[in-house]
Amino acid sequence: MGRGHRVGHPAYGELAVRAIALVDCNNFYVSCERLFQPRLEGRPVVVLSNNDGCVVSRSAEAKQIGVGMGVPWFQLKALARQHDIVALSSNYALYADISARVMRLLAAFSPRQEVYSIDECFLELDGMAAQPDLSGYGQRMRASVKQCVGIPVCVGIAPSKTLAKLANHIAKKEADCNGVCDLDAMPRAAQQARFAALGAGEVWGVGARIAARLQGMGIDSVLDLQTAPATVIRAAFGVVLARTLAELNGVACIGLEPEPHERQQIVCSRSFGTTVGDLAQLEQAVIAYTVRAAEKLRRQQSLAGVLLVSLCTNPHRPGAPQYQPQIRVPLESPCADSRVLCRAALSGLQVIFRHGFGYRKAGITLAGIIPRAARPRTLFDDAAAQAKSERLMQAVDAINRRMGSGTVSLLGEGIHQRWAMQRGYLSGGFTTRWDELAEVR
DNA sequence: CTATAACTCTCAA
DNA sequence: CTAACGTTGAGAGTTATAG
């Protein structure tokens, strides 16, 4: 397992990388909120999902009290009163802005960075001959992010992404790591002890389903999985878990992907702030979602060939009649014009809508996505109309980029969006809006 | 029957 | 006052369908 002493693994294509760091922000959303609201320091704080539904981020104090991840907020009201928990609505504009600052700083620590999610990134540390002490290097990352942005992070370092994830987990849990864990610098016995104490479900790529099936086979811990026979895992679970197993044994076969690739499908779906029964309201929502999805589509210079519309009643009310229709609307030709996509979405909605249901959620998906440059030509192309459509959409996008999204939109989204989501505990746009900076105390 | 499309399952943050 | 429970994207594997 030592760096540079591994045997190749031709079946899964070993990649020539010897050290990867995973940098993960601690309690990211809560940490972002605390940057601008010092009163939250030392207190139990949670950030809630859309519609103030479930807990999606918890401060250390909230975890200590026993606030679980993903718990519905209404179930926590009693505990919250008892311990004076502060609950905040998600403020994605703020988190995205802070994330960009963190990622830009970390990029300076490696020639190759993969921004994996809003709060974590992989850094390739291979060939860093000038950095023989990788733990020290990780400490410098932590200090830099803490000082320049104010966000606490932990660093896991290992020969594969999967092991780096585990190293990060150890760095977060064990105080004497000081937030950094270099797995290869750890004595073999110590590493085995950690892996024996960790459930297999902690491994990246092992969710609840697979963890349960593994347990049924007597594979409980990370160590059990690491030492399981590859043939058995391959046969029972497929190539995905077989790759994970190789990674657990130090064989890097999940590569770093510095460039985000274009989406193959673009989804915009959201629960409503309230139950909706009438078609007019659903039309507003579907148009709003389609416009947003179309913006994303154009940003990546693509066209969609198919649009899907879906509706959903409230599954948490089993007494109420349930209905989850979905429909595929093929477009005449691939397109990125919001007006055309909205017409398709509305026609789909017409077909699936039924009176007498309480709808809780609607969504649209753009699929059959191709690059704009690959637009198929037909005999009936109207080049002039095409150019006109593209110019209009470009103008709309340019205005919305400059003046803020939603400045120019299609009629039909509605002015009073009674279905819009609830965000009762929203903090200000501290970094994105001058007028809300005043809330900082 | 095969190639592809469509759908389902699983996972992650 | 009551009722209150996320979103987006990917990939693999399976099933349905077209030719």
Side-chain angles (χ1 to χ4, degrees):
Chain A
M1 284 281 286
R3 275 195 258 281
H5 297 290
R6 279 164 296 103
V7 181
H9 199 299
Y12 307 113
E14 182 179 1
L15 302 158
V17 172
R18 286 176 222 124
I20 297 170
L22 175 68
V23 187
D24 192 314
C25 300
N26 302 349
N27 316 331
F28 183 56
Y29 295 172
V30 166
S31 297
C32 288
E33 298 288 351
R34 278 181 169 165
L35 285 180
F36 298 93
Q37 302 190 70
R39 71 184 179 95
L40 301 178
E41 217 62 56
R43 299 182 55 183
V45 181
V46 299
V47 173
L48 304 175
S49 65
N50 284 347
N51 281 315
D52 298 333
C54 303
V55 172
V56 292
S57 181
R58 308 161 291 160
S59 70
E61 297 81 0
K63 290 176 188 173
Q64 180 121 46
I65 293 171
V67 176
M69 188 63 169
V71 176
W73 172 236
F74 77 91
Q75 288 178 5
L76 285 173
K77 285 288 169 71
L79 194 69
R81 250 194 308 276
Q82 192 183 332
H83 291 96
D84 204 14
I85 299 175
V86 180
L88 299 165
S89 305
S90 297
N91 185 346
Y92 285 105
L94 174 66
Y95 312 148
D97 189 82
I98 302 298
S99 172
R101 293 166 199 238
V102 170
M103 296 307 166
R104 206 174 318 134
L105 259 179
L106 290 172
F109 285 86
S110 164
R112 273 165 56 85
Q113 175 190 42
E114 175 184 338
V115 177
Y116 177 69
S117 74
I118 195 163
D119 75 334
E120 63 190 297
C121 72
F122 291 103
L123 297 170
E124 189 176 293
L125 303 185
D126 189 37
M128 298 220 138
Q131 303 293 339
D133 172 21
L134 291 179
S135 288
Y137 199 53
Q139 290 295 351
R140 281 164 53 195
M141 294 178 200
R142 287 191 83 208
S144 172
V145 176
K146 182 69 189 166
Q147 186 183 347
C148 300
V149 192
I151 296 286
V153 304
C154 285
V155 185
I157 302 170
S160 70
K161 280 180 161 185
T162 304
L163 285 172
K165 279 262 187 191
L166 280 173
N168 189 281
H169 182 87
I170 293 169
K172 282 218 162 96
K173 295 283 172 188
E174 294 187 20
D176 47 346
C177 285
N178 275 321
V180 178
C181 171
D182 178 1
L183 218 51
D184 266 0
M186 190 183 285
R188 180 181 280 271
Q191 194 190 111
Q192 280 203 357
R194 259 70 167 198
F195 283 9
L198 282 176
E202 298 293 341
V203 174
W204 189 40
V206 179
R209 283 298 195 354
I210 291 179
R213 282 173 59 200
L214 285 170
Q215 204 152 36
M217 300 165 62
I219 299 173
D220 299 321
S221 68
V222 175
L223 185 64
D224 292 340
L225 181 57
Q226 187 186 36
T227 54
T231 50
V232 171
I233 296 298
R234 173 68 181 86
F237 298 93
V239 290
V240 180
L241 201 67
R243 264 198 296 261
T244 295
L245 177 56
E247 286 246 328
L248 274 182
N249 284 287
V251 180
C253 47
I254 301 175
L256 212 69
E257 290 174 24
E259 297 303 325
H261 39 263
E262 283 149 26
R263 301 274 166 255
Q264 297 166 20
Q265 60 174 7
I266 294 170
V267 181
C268 188
S269 76
R270 206 140 301 151
S271 299
F272 305 133
T274 166
T275 299
V276 172
D278 62 306
L279 182 59
Q281 299 261 320
L282 292 177
E283 285 178 337
Q284 287 184 5
V286 162
I287 290 175
Y289 299 167
T290 305
V291 167
R292 292 207 46 187
E295 278 168 7
K296 289 192 211 168
L297 182 69
R298 293 194 294 270
R299 202 175 312 143
Q300 69 166 41
Q301 316 250 355
S302 299
L303 308 171
V306 180
L307 183 146
L308 298 98
V309 189
S310 60
L311 294 175
C312 202
T313 50
N314 189 346
H316 303 292
R317 305 200 52 188
Q322 298 290 313
Y323 179 46
Q324 291 96 26
Q326 196 177 358
I327 191 172
R328 253 179 77 88
V329 186
L331 302 169
E332 241 171 68
S333 62
C335 133
D337 187 315
S338 296
R339 297 165 300 173
V340 177
L341 294 169
C342 282
R343 274 198 290 276
L346 288 178
S347 75
L349 178 62
Q350 289 281 341
V351 174
I352 58 176
F353 175 78
R354 296 278 181 276
H355 284 285
F357 292 98
Y359 297 99
R360 187 66 199 186
K361 178 172 153 181
I364 75 107
T365 301
L366 300 180
I369 291 177
I370 60 167
R372 201 167 55 190
R375 183 201 300 275
R377 295 293 147 93
T378 76
L379 275 177
F380 310 106
D381 274 353
D382 183 342
Q386 202 117 106
K388 200 171 150 193
S389 151
E390 277 178 24
R391 275 203 309 278
L392 176 62
M393 289 301 129
Q394 272 169 20
V396 168
D397 290 339
I399 292 170
N400 284 336
R401 261 199 307 276
R402 179 165 306 196
M403 312 287 290
S405 73
T407 302
V408 180
S409 185
L410 301 182
L411 290 177
E413 290 187 42
I415 307 299
H416 307 293
Q417 302 184 330
R418 278 189 287 147
W419 43 271
M421 69 173 163
Q422 291 168 13
R423 298 206 285 178
Y425 316 99
L426 189 59
S427 59
F430 303 116
T431 63
T432 50
R433 298 182 63 100
W434 287 109
D435 52 325
E436 294 181 9
L437 191 56
E439 289 184 27
V440 180
R441 299 264 181 263

